[in-house]
Amino acid sequence: RHARRSAPPTPLESTIIVKCTPAVKHQIYMDYNATTPLEPEVIQAISEALQDAWGNPSSNYIAGAKAKATINQSRENVARMVGGKAEDIIFTSGGTEANNMVLHTAVEHFRRSSRAAGQREGHRNGSGGLPHIITSNVEHDSVKLVAEHLQKEGKADVTYVPVSKMTARVEVEDVIAALRPNTCLVSIMLANNETGVIMPIPEISQRIKCLNKQQERLRVLLHTDAAQALGKIRVDACELGVDYLTVVGHKFYGPRVGALFVNGPGTRTPLYPMLFGGGQERNFRPGTENTAMIAGLGKVCFLLRMRAVFNNKIRFNSHYPGSDILPNTCNVSILGPSLQGWRVLSNCRKLLASVGAACHSDSGNRPSHILLSCGVPSEVAAGALRLSVGRATTKADVDAVVEDLRETVRQLEEMD
């Protein structure tokens, strides 16, 4: 058979090809569940960490101390974002590692608990045999494939609860019905990455907590992978009632690094390392910390928390692509018809700040000409607050100011 020679396209075909081939500049990105671009503030935080916090966080010299302080601040920011405490946060390389750590911990905890129970004469907890894990049939591969591996290797039994074909959710009763005396973990994602359906985690948690009160049975641990939910809906680990919650930075405009929330790691909730080494992350996840990426994750968590507090009514007026800003300066507008900057400040109980330069205070309540010159719309500039911190400003001060502003905004909106 002779190879066919490809004839050049006709003029009509050429026109169709050109019209059907989108130009790059007109392409629109709509794959944010896969990954998101970095916020400009996050890029700046990463760059600053690479320049100023390059030292080993375990070292005592200045660069090392700076790196450790950066990591500690980021840990606080991540914890506040998910409603936990700083000691509840373990930094990981990403969501895959965090999810693997949870399933590894559940199996190891079952093994140790069963061994301890067998050594206590007359104790019956019905937890013999293999550990049993419950998950759904729509989980991310970083849960699904780990569960399949444990099952294949004879290390665990796994039940894959199917989602409802009517609601696309995991039904609470189906999860509870799947529980066995040897169930050690229930792992259900908070929101599905393909359908966007939110799973009933609080309801599952309430039922499991009731069962865990029975002294004769092994404690069932609850994990949720919140990768797709963070940055899109409110996520509070305490409200959800989970023992573990997975955080993935690149799903909400942060870097490709992750964290695992553990409700009291090693005390209230078991956590066992998969790696062994230098003892970083309190021995739960050893390895020299990736300071710059952790700094970026902490920054995006701080921004997310700020926006959550003010219900997306906030606009940062200091952020311009390609421009660095002073680390102590934040010009921000809280959007709303009754939220002019001067009015907000005059009603704050704690915050002492200004709407612009003190030497321009005779301009009355008019929007800052500087902001207008920088392209900030007049209605946004009218609500601007200039916040600048100094050497004496603490993290507690910043938290108090955020709460003061939140309460002031609430009162002003109620008045109108």
Side-chain angles (χ1 to χ4, degrees):
R1 181 177 295 178
H2 297 289
R4 295 179 59 187
R5 295 176 62 187
S6 58
T10 66
L12 176 60
E13 289 173 335
S14 298
T15 301
I16 293 173
I17 291 172
V18 170
K19 289 189 174 181
C20 292
T21 304
V24 173
K25 65 179 181 180
H26 295 306
Q27 290 181 323
I28 299 173
Y29 184 72
M30 284 193 179
D31 201 18
Y32 287 89
N33 280 6
T35 196
T36 57
L38 293 176
E39 289 272 18
E41 304 93 309
V42 173
I43 295 174
Q44 181 175 354
I46 292 172
S47 298
E48 290 176 355
L50 289 170
Q51 292 175 347
D52 303 330
W54 51 267
N56 191 314
S58 300
S59 301
N60 294 324
Y61 44 76
I62 294 176
K66 175 67 174 176
K68 185 173 183 179
T70 298
I71 292 171
N72 289 341
Q73 179 61 66
S74 295
R75 200 184 309 276
E76 289 275 359
N77 290 341
V78 176
R80 290 191 184 111
M81 179 187 68
V82 298
K85 300 177 181 178
E87 57 264 30
D88 296 332
I89 302 301
I90 308 296
F91 288 117
T92 65
S93 61
T96 294
E97 182 185 349
N99 288 342
N100 271 259
M101 189 181 294
V102 171
L103 272 72
H104 164 79
T105 288
V107 170
E108 179 65 15
H109 182 61
F110 177 90
R111 186 184 68 82
R112 297 189 186 195
S113 298
S114 297
R115 184 173 60 189
Q119 294 173 352
R120 293 197 294 270
E121 185 178 355
H123 181 84
R124 289 185 177 182
N125 69 348
S127 61
L130 291 175
H132 177 234
I133 296 170
I134 297 174
T135 187
S136 80
N137 66 340
V138 296
E139 296 296 312
H140 188 270
D141 279 353
S142 59
V143 169
K144 174 179 177 287
L145 296 183
V146 180
E148 290 178 355
H149 171 76
L150 292 171
Q151 194 171 27
K152 182 180 179 181
E153 294 294 315
K155 296 180 179 180
D157 287 332
V158 183
T159 297
Y160 300 92
V161 176
V163 297
S164 166
K165 295 188 183 299
M166 297 294 293
T167 64
R169 300 198 327 166
V170 170
E171 300 299 336
V172 178
E173 293 303 327
D174 291 342
V175 174
I176 300 305
L179 288 169
R180 305 176 189 172
N182 59 330
T183 301
C184 61
L185 176 70
V186 173
S187 178
I188 306 291
M189 60 175 29
L190 183 52
N192 186 264
N193 52 312
E194 294 191 22
T195 65
V197 170
I198 299 172
M199 302 298 178
I201 302 301
E203 293 82 359
I204 294 173
S205 170
Q206 291 173 4
R207 297 291 294 277
I208 289 178
K209 284 182 178 178
C210 291
L211 291 172
N212 280 339
K213 292 178 181 178
Q214 300 175 13
Q215 296 296 322
E216 69 275 10
R217 73 169 295 128
L218 179 72
R219 175 185 172 189
V220 179
L221 300 166
L222 179 59
H223 164 244
T224 191
D225 181 350
Q228 289 296 339
L230 286 162
K232 300 163 189 169
I233 61 173
R234 175 179 171 83
V235 176
D236 187 297
C238 295
E239 293 177 1
L240 293 171
V242 296
D243 299 298
Y244 309 97
L245 185 145
T246 298
V247 176
V248 183
H250 75 97
K251 300 294 186 180
F252 57 103
Y253 305 93
R256 290 189 174 97
V257 69
L260 179 65
F261 163 88
V262 185
N263 185 14
T267 54
R268 292 187 300 276
T269 303
L271 185 65
Y272 298 104
M274 295 190 299
L275 307 172
F276 298 89
Q280 293 86 353
E281 294 298 289
R282 289 156 287 163
N283 281 312
F284 293 122
R285 203 283 183 183
T288 303
E289 301 91 336
N290 191 344
T291 305
M293 295 301 107
I294 290 173
L297 180 62
K299 186 65 174 183
V300 76
C301 289
F302 172 77
L303 294 173
L304 185 61
R305 178 171 164 262
M306 286 287 289
R307 287 164 182 158
V309 167
F310 296 106
N311 298 317
N312 292 321
K313 295 178 180 178
I314 196 167
R315 166 168 168 160
F316 293 99
N317 302 318
S318 304
H319 302 153
Y320 297 90
S323 295
D324 295 331
I325 60 173
L326 294 173
N328 80 316
T329 304
C330 175
N331 194 299
V332 62
S333 293
I334 305 173
L335 308 180
S338 62
L339 302 178
Q340 296 85 0
W342 63 269
R343 192 177 182 198
V344 170
L345 290 175
S346 63
N347 282 275
C348 282
R349 299 181 61 185
K350 296 181 179 179
L351 175 60
L352 301 176
S354 63
V355 296
C359 54
H360 297 157
S361 58
D362 59 351
S363 61
N365 299 325
R366 296 192 304 274
S368 164
H369 75 279
I370 293 176
L371 295 182
L372 296 176
S373 298
C374 293
V376 177
S378 178
E379 65 275 13
V380 175
L385 306 174
R386 186 189 67 172
L387 308 177
S388 50
V389 301
R391 292 179 180 176
T393 310
T394 66
K395 290 183 291 185
D397 292 335
V398 174
D399 288 339
V401 164
V402 170
E403 179 59 27
D404 191 20
L405 285 170
R406 186 197 65 79
E407 182 62 20
T408 300
V409 168
R410 184 190 65 80
Q411 291 177 354
L412 289 175
E413 290 183 328
E414 287 181 354
M415 289 169 56
D416 292 348

